[in-house]
mmCIF file of all heavy atoms in Angstrom:
data_model
loop_
_atom_site.group_PDB
_atom_site.id
_atom_site.type_symbol
_atom_site.label_atom_id
_atom_site.label_comp_id
_atom_site.label_asym_id
_atom_site.label_seq_id
_atom_site.Cartn_x
_atom_site.Cartn_y
_atom_site.Cartn_z
ATOM 1 N N ALA A 2 1.928 1.243 0.806
ATOM 2 C CA ALA A 2 2.844 2.392 0.854
ATOM 3 C C ALA A 2 3.567 2.544 -0.495
ATOM 4 O O ALA A 2 3.833 3.640 -0.916
ATOM 5 C CB ALA A 2 3.860 2.240 1.989
ATOM 6 N N LEU A 3 3.852 1.417 -1.123
ATOM 7 C CA LEU A 3 4.502 1.451 -2.431
ATOM 8 C C LEU A 3 3.599 2.076 -3.483
ATOM 9 O O LEU A 3 4.057 2.847 -4.336
ATOM 10 C CB LEU A 3 4.914 0.015 -2.849
ATOM 11 C CG LEU A 3 5.731 -0.089 -4.108
ATOM 12 C CD1 LEU A 3 7.004 0.717 -4.011
ATOM 13 C CD2 LEU A 3 6.060 -1.554 -4.404
ATOM 14 N N GLN A 4 2.318 1.810 -3.394
ATOM 15 C CA GLN A 4 1.367 2.391 -4.343
ATOM 16 C C GLN A 4 1.270 3.901 -4.163
ATOM 17 O O GLN A 4 1.180 4.648 -5.134
ATOM 18 C CB GLN A 4 -0.025 1.779 -4.168
ATOM 19 C CG GLN A 4 -0.122 0.343 -4.643
ATOM 20 C CD GLN A 4 -1.480 -0.287 -4.343
ATOM 21 O OE1 GLN A 4 -2.165 0.159 -3.423
ATOM 22 N NE2 GLN A 4 -1.849 -1.263 -5.116
ATOM 23 N N VAL A 5 1.334 4.360 -2.907
ATOM 24 C CA VAL A 5 1.245 5.803 -2.617
ATOM 25 C C VAL A 5 2.501 6.503 -3.203
ATOM 26 O O VAL A 5 2.402 7.534 -3.835
ATOM 27 C CB VAL A 5 1.132 6.058 -1.103
ATOM 28 C CG1 VAL A 5 1.288 7.537 -0.795
ATOM 29 C CG2 VAL A 5 -0.220 5.563 -0.605
ATOM 30 N N GLU A 6 3.696 5.892 -2.977
ATOM 31 C CA GLU A 6 4.923 6.466 -3.503
ATOM 32 C C GLU A 6 4.904 6.487 -5.030
ATOM 33 O O GLU A 6 5.314 7.469 -5.647
ATOM 34 C CB GLU A 6 6.140 5.657 -3.021
ATOM 35 C CG GLU A 6 6.500 5.912 -1.588
ATOM 36 C CD GLU A 6 7.740 5.155 -1.159
ATOM 37 O OE1 GLU A 6 8.593 4.899 -2.028
ATOM 38 O OE2 GLU A 6 7.863 4.841 0.022
ATOM 39 N N ASN A 7 4.403 5.425 -5.638
ATOM 40 C CA ASN A 7 4.308 5.346 -7.087
ATOM 41 C C ASN A 7 3.380 6.440 -7.617
ATOM 42 O O ASN A 7 3.656 7.093 -8.621
ATOM 43 C CB ASN A 7 3.857 3.956 -7.534
ATOM 44 C CG ASN A 7 3.957 3.791 -9.033
ATOM 45 O OD1 ASN A 7 4.790 4.388 -9.683
ATOM 46 N ND2 ASN A 7 3.110 2.949 -9.563
ATOM 47 N N LYS A 8 2.260 6.620 -6.963
ATOM 48 C CA LYS A 8 1.306 7.660 -7.390
ATOM 49 C C LYS A 8 1.913 9.038 -7.296
ATOM 50 O O LYS A 8 1.751 9.882 -8.184
ATOM 51 C CB LYS A 8 0.038 7.589 -6.531
ATOM 52 C CG LYS A 8 -1.012 8.596 -6.925
ATOM 53 C CD LYS A 8 -2.399 8.010 -6.851
ATOM 54 C CE LYS A 8 -3.441 9.069 -7.163
ATOM 55 N NZ LYS A 8 -3.851 9.032 -8.540
ATOM 56 N N GLN A 9 2.677 9.307 -6.196
ATOM 57 C CA GLN A 9 3.310 10.614 -6.054
ATOM 58 C C GLN A 9 4.376 10.800 -7.144
ATOM 59 O O GLN A 9 4.521 11.889 -7.671
ATOM 60 C CB GLN A 9 3.958 10.716 -4.681
ATOM 61 C CG GLN A 9 2.941 10.855 -3.548
ATOM 62 C CD GLN A 9 3.588 10.797 -2.180
ATOM 63 O OE1 GLN A 9 4.724 10.386 -2.029
ATOM 64 N NE2 GLN A 9 2.837 11.220 -1.177
ATOM 65 N N GLY A 10 5.095 9.733 -7.473
ATOM 66 C CA GLY A 10 6.062 9.807 -8.537
ATOM 67 C C GLY A 10 5.442 10.100 -9.879
ATOM 68 O O GLY A 10 5.960 10.887 -10.669
ATOM 69 N N GLU A 11 4.308 9.476 -10.156
ATOM 70 C CA GLU A 11 3.578 9.732 -11.415
ATOM 71 C C GLU A 11 3.087 11.167 -11.466
ATOM 72 O O GLU A 11 3.167 11.804 -12.522
ATOM 73 C CB GLU A 11 2.379 8.784 -11.530
ATOM 74 C CG GLU A 11 2.747 7.361 -11.846
ATOM 75 C CD GLU A 11 1.547 6.452 -11.918
ATOM 76 O OE1 GLU A 11 0.404 6.966 -12.010
ATOM 77 O OE2 GLU A 11 1.720 5.218 -11.877
ATOM 78 N N GLU A 12 2.594 11.695 -10.347
ATOM 79 C CA GLU A 12 2.117 13.081 -10.326
ATOM 80 C C GLU A 12 3.288 14.070 -10.574
ATOM 81 O O GLU A 12 3.132 15.026 -11.284
ATOM 82 C CB GLU A 12 1.427 13.387 -8.985
ATOM 83 C CG GLU A 12 0.099 12.703 -8.823
ATOM 84 C CD GLU A 12 -0.534 12.912 -7.456
ATOM 85 O OE1 GLU A 12 0.081 13.611 -6.615
ATOM 86 O OE2 GLU A 12 -1.605 12.344 -7.213
ATOM 87 N N ALA A 13 4.449 13.756 -9.977
ATOM 88 C CA ALA A 13 5.611 14.610 -10.180
ATOM 89 C C ALA A 13 6.035 14.582 -11.665
ATOM 90 O O ALA A 13 6.374 15.619 -12.225
ATOM 91 C CB ALA A 13 6.769 14.173 -9.276
ATOM 92 N N CYS A 14 6.014 13.382 -12.257
ATOM 93 C CA CYS A 14 6.391 13.258 -13.673
ATOM 94 C C CYS A 14 5.385 14.015 -14.560
ATOM 95 O O CYS A 14 5.770 14.703 -15.489
ATOM 96 C CB CYS A 14 6.448 11.806 -14.088
ATOM 97 S SG CYS A 14 7.919 10.945 -13.498
ATOM 98 N N SER A 15 4.102 13.900 -14.240
ATOM 99 C CA SER A 15 3.078 14.593 -15.036
ATOM 100 C C SER A 15 3.233 16.085 -14.922
ATOM 101 O O SER A 15 3.101 16.803 -15.907
ATOM 102 C CB SER A 15 1.683 14.181 -14.541
ATOM 103 O OG SER A 15 1.428 12.834 -14.802
#
Side-chain angles (χ1 to χ4, degrees):
L3 186 57
Q4 289 176 335
V5 170
E6 285 183 29
N7 189 29
K8 180 140 177 96
Q9 289 173 344
E11 287 178 16
E12 288 175 2
C14 285
S15 294

